[in-house]
């Protein structure tokens, strides 16, 4: 990726984190949010594959952790894994359809949620009960998935190439 | 298995996971403070967060206002009514406070005054501007009689010119029909203080002797001559001294210390003097 594109996406990521931590509390009940960083991670993974997905997931998650004051690394690990897996999955299941990013965001969100739950439980950093967390995550992932097409239409995400193109390149 | 582990990407991912897990372990513990990097990132994000948060907050308020417009409208009507009621109450309280202050001063003056007095409230004024008489709410039933002197903490107000069972009319010293025997406190010169039609609110001072020494600022007290006004009540202060008619003698304008336009409570002197001296009265009356 060229430097301007890289910087543009970095800026978008920063703004996404800022929006998430400042606007979402006004718009949704506690715990529920549109996970913009996850959407960006999944779309990047769709566009760039496993490495891009993992790197952007890690970067976005880490920024989220640092800005929101969470335990550093929880979101980073969850989103990095989500980005990596989505990047791996897209090489197998990618179809030129608007529904694919939606489904993959739901998939990535589920992965991220499960990892976050596992880490939070393991390290004793759960701020709420597991049931409440899971309910909020289900709503958040659903909302994020529904809003994915809007973000996908953003010019910074040129439509991912088809499987054939990827294979040709490989 | 070996092939799986030889995949550099997978190895890199596992390494990254382990690194992140160790970071999570470290940062999930109680720490003395944030690291420099954490501080740097959080501080650099602060302006952006602040701007977006302000915008979000504004939007949220606007959105809330839009969705609650009916409720807001009702609340607005209720609050406006409440504000008006509270303003009215506030005015009423201010009124009570001012009245309280005046009555306290009057009470203080009454206790210090060597006369038997009846406190009265000014309940009416002549609206025609033809005269400056005052109507007070005390009359014969309260012991008020014609030609009784009326005073306040500022000094002499006037005398009662008519009385009913429960009211009395007071002719103020500033009314052109009024005349009070006075004395210049500084020089003891006898004077006559009359209401002055030429300048409402002021009195005309006429010395009884042509060589009277009168200067601006002199205090004028009642002389007690004539039998209506007790001796030693402050009538006013000389504000201007001019030559008399045909340049004979001098006359002066006296400004009473009493603000007649704002007079609300007075004391009617119903009993005699305890024999105070002019100087002691002047010192007491002097504000």
């Amino acid at each position: 990726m060229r430097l301007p594109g890289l910087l543009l996406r970095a800026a978008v990521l920063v703004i996404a984190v800022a929006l998430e931590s400042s606007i979402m509390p006004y718009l949704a009940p506690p715990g529920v949010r549109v996970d913009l960083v996850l959407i960006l991670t999944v779309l990047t993974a769709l566009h760039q594959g496993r490495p891009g997905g993992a790197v952007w997931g890690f970067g976005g998650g880490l920024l989220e952790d640092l800005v929101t004051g969470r335990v550093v690394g929880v979101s980073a690990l969850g989103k990095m894994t989500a980005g990596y897996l989505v990047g791996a999955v897209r090489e197998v299941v990618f179809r030129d359809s608007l529904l694919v990013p939606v489904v993959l965001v739901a998939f990535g969100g589920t992965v991220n949620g499960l990892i976050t739950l596992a880490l939070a439980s393991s390290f004793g950093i759960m701020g709420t009960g597991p049931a409440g967390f899971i309910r909020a995550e289900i709503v958040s992932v659903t909302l994020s998935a529904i809003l994915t097409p809007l973000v996908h239409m953003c010019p910074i995400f040129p439509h991912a190439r088809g499987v054939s193109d990827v294979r040709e390149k490989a | 298995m070996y092939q799986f582990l030889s995949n550099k990407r997978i190895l890199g991912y596992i390494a990254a996971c382990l690194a992140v897990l160790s970071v999570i372990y470290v940062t999930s513990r109680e720490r003395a403070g944030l690291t420099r990097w954490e501080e740097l990132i959080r501080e650099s994000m602060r302006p952006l967060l602040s701007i977006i948060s302000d915008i979000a907050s504004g939007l949220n308020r606007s959105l809330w206002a839009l969705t609650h417009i009916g409720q807001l409208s009702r609340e607005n009507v209720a609050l406006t009514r409440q504000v008006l009621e509270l303003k009215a109450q506030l005015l009423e309280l201010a009124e009570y406070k001012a009245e309280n202050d005046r009555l306290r001063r009057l009470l203080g003056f009454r206790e210090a005054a060597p006369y038997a007095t009846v406190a009265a409230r000014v309940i009416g004024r002549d609206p025609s501007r033809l005269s400056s008489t005052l109507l007070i709410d005390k009359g014969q039933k309260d012991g008020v009689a014609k030609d009784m002197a009326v005073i306040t903490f500022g000094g002499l107000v006037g005398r009662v010119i008519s009385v009913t069972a429960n009211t009395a009319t007071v002719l103020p010293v500033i009314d052109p029909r009024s005349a009070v025997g006075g004395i210049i406190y500084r020089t003891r010169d006898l004077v006559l203080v009359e209401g002055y039609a030429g300048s409402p609110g002021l009195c005309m001072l006429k010395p009884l002797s042509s060589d009277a020494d009168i200067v601006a600022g002199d205090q004028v007290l009642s002389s007690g001559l004539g039998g209506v006004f007790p001796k030693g009540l402050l009538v006013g202060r000389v504000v201007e001294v001019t030559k008399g008619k045909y340049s004979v003698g001098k006359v002066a304008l006296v400004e009473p210390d009493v603000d007649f336009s704002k007079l609300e409570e007075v004391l009617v002197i119903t009993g005699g003097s305890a024999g105070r001296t002019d100087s002691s009265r002047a010192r007491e009356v002097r504000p």
Side-chain angles (χ1 to χ4, degrees):
Chain A
M1 184 186 280
R2 288 176 184 170
L3 190 63
L6 196 74
L7 289 176
L8 182 66
R9 284 200 185 192
V12 169
L13 202 64
V14 168
I15 291 169
V17 172
L19 287 173
E20 252 185 54
S21 56
S22 55
I23 285 189
M24 291 305 162
Y26 290 106
L27 301 180
V32 176
R33 69 193 194 283
V34 177
D35 198 337
L36 291 172
V37 174
L38 177 77
I39 297 172
L40 291 174
T41 300
V42 169
L43 293 179
T44 306
L46 261 176
H47 183 50
Q48 296 180 357
R50 279 177 293 178
V55 168
W56 284 97
F58 177 78
L62 189 65
L63 194 61
E64 228 176 15
D65 288 336
L66 289 169
V67 169
T68 54
R70 293 178 199 154
V71 170
V72 178
V74 175
S75 285
L77 191 58
K79 293 209 164 69
M80 180 176 76
T81 310
Y84 185 84
L85 290 179
V86 168
V89 168
R90 78 116 199 202
E91 290 172 11
V92 183
V93 299
F94 180 76
R95 295 288 182 276
D96 195 9
S97 162
L98 203 61
L99 270 180
V100 172
V102 174
V103 173
L104 288 180
V105 164
F107 168 70
T110 307
V111 170
N112 176 51
L114 288 173
I115 290 173
T116 305
L117 181 64
L119 289 172
S121 304
S122 307
F123 288 94
I125 50 173
M126 282 291 284
T128 178
F133 176 83
I134 290 166
R135 271 199 299 273
E137 275 299 302
I138 288 170
V139 178
S140 299
V141 168
T142 309
L143 275 175
S144 303
I146 290 169
L147 290 175
T148 298
L150 289 176
V151 184
H152 194 219
M153 284 186 279
C154 181
I156 62 163
F157 294 108
H159 290 292
R161 291 162 295 178
V163 175
S164 54
D165 298 336
V166 175
R167 281 177 183 158
E168 275 167 22
K169 197 177 176 185
Chain B
M1 183 67 179
Y2 175 76
Q3 195 180 359
F4 176 77
L5 287 175
S6 67
N7 188 326
K8 283 182 184 174
R9 282 182 183 174
I10 291 174
L11 278 178
Y13 175 73
I14 291 170
C17 283
L18 290 173
V20 173
L21 282 171
S22 61
V23 171
I24 293 172
Y25 178 77
V26 170
T27 56
S28 63
R29 307 292 114 189
E30 186 74 31
R31 291 185 291 164
L34 297 175
T35 62
R36 194 189 297 172
W37 286 105
E38 286 173 274
E39 279 180 17
L40 185 74
I41 290 175
R42 212 171 284 181
E43 278 302 307
S44 55
M45 286 291 283
R46 192 179 55 82
L48 183 65
L49 288 175
S50 178
I51 291 168
I52 294 177
S53 185
D54 286 348
I55 294 169
S57 172
L59 285 174
N60 188 51
R61 278 198 300 272
S62 307
L63 201 68
W64 190 90
L66 280 174
T67 52
H68 293 75
I69 198 144
Q71 183 192 340
L72 285 173
S73 177
R74 283 192 299 276
E75 276 181 12
N76 188 36
V77 170
L79 288 171
T80 306
R81 191 175 300 148
Q82 204 174 350
V83 164
L84 287 173
E85 283 172 8
L86 288 172
K87 271 186 178 173
Q89 279 181 20
L90 207 62
L91 278 173
E92 202 175 345
L93 286 175
E95 189 73 11
Y96 283 141
K97 188 180 177 302
E99 186 182 20
N100 190 29
D101 289 345
R102 286 196 309 273
L103 289 173
R104 275 174 191 278
R105 288 171 68 191
L106 199 59
L107 186 65
F109 175 68
R110 185 183 177 180
E111 282 170 355
Y115 318 107
T117 56
V118 170
R121 186 186 297 266
V122 176
I123 54 171
R125 293 164 195 271
D126 186 351
S128 67
R129 283 183 167 239
L130 292 174
S131 70
S132 47
T133 51
L134 308 168
L135 189 67
I136 58 173
D137 66 346
K138 293 286 158 63
Q140 284 167 341
K141 282 186 180 173
D142 306 286
V144 177
K146 193 172 179 291
D147 284 335
M148 280 185 171
V150 180
I151 57 172
T152 187
F153 48 83
L156 187 62
V157 172
R159 64 184 170 94
V160 175
I161 55 168
S162 67
V163 64
T164 65
N166 292 299
T167 64
T169 306
V170 178
L171 183 72
V173 290
I174 54 168
D175 192 287
R177 291 173 288 171
S178 168
V180 180
I183 187 169
I184 303 294
Y185 174 65
R186 183 176 58 86
T187 59
R188 318 307 294 174
D189 285 318
L190 290 172
V191 294
L192 189 66
V193 183
E194 296 175 341
Y196 181 47
S199 183
L202 297 181
C203 299
M204 175 68 78
L205 182 146
K206 294 176 180 172
L208 295 185
S209 68
S210 57
D211 59 344
D213 176 17
I214 303 166
V215 294
D218 273 344
Q219 279 186 308
V220 184
L221 309 179
S222 57
S223 64
L225 300 174
V228 174
F229 301 104
K231 189 178 179 184
L233 292 171
L234 182 68
V235 179
R237 291 162 205 278
V238 175
V239 290
E240 190 184 332
V241 182
T242 53
K243 291 198 171 177
K245 220 171 189 178
Y246 313 116
S247 297
V248 176
K250 56 175 82 168
V251 292
L253 287 177
V254 174
E255 184 180 27
D257 272 15
V258 177
D259 187 349
F260 289 92
S261 62
K262 293 174 183 168
L263 200 58
E264 291 181 54
E265 289 90 17
V266 293
L267 295 174
V268 182
I269 298 176
T270 54
S273 166
R276 286 201 169 194
T277 62
D278 286 355
S279 55
S280 65
R281 287 294 309 127
R283 275 197 299 275
E284 278 173 9
V285 172
R286 196 174 196 164

